[in-house]
Amino acid sequence: MERAEIKSLLEVIDQQVSSAILGGMDEQYEELENLGYIKINREAVQWSSSITPAGMNFLHNYDN
């Protein structure tokens, strides 16, 4: 996944506080989780994700 795509997804997740995982985007969300940028809640019927401190750091330092 490219940096710009990562930034875009993280911005959506950050704005929603807890973002439902969109259909067909499981791989992208899992990649973000593997990078440590989000945490996926797999215990709910509809999986959701929340941004981690590492994800916030990525967003804040994206343009630097």
Side-chain angles (χ1 to χ4, degrees):
M1 189 177 336
E2 294 182 22
R3 284 179 51 86
E5 186 178 4
I6 290 172
K7 179 182 183 251
S8 178
L9 280 172
L10 287 177
E11 286 174 334
V12 168
I13 293 166
D14 183 39
Q15 290 172 0
Q16 296 180 357
V17 179
S18 180
S19 175
I21 295 181
L22 305 173
M25 303 228 7
D26 296 356
E27 285 184 29
Q28 287 89 341
Y29 279 80
E30 288 176 359
E31 183 175 342
L32 291 177
E33 185 177 49
N34 289 336
L35 291 168
Y37 295 156
I38 66 169
K39 173 69 178 135
I40 298 174
N41 175 7
R42 294 176 171 86
E43 295 178 17
V45 173
Q46 171 66 48
W47 288 5
S48 63
S49 62
S50 55
I51 195 163
T52 65
M56 291 300 294
N57 188 47
F58 178 91
L59 284 177
H60 290 296
N61 294 307
Y62 179 80
D63 293 322
N64 296 334

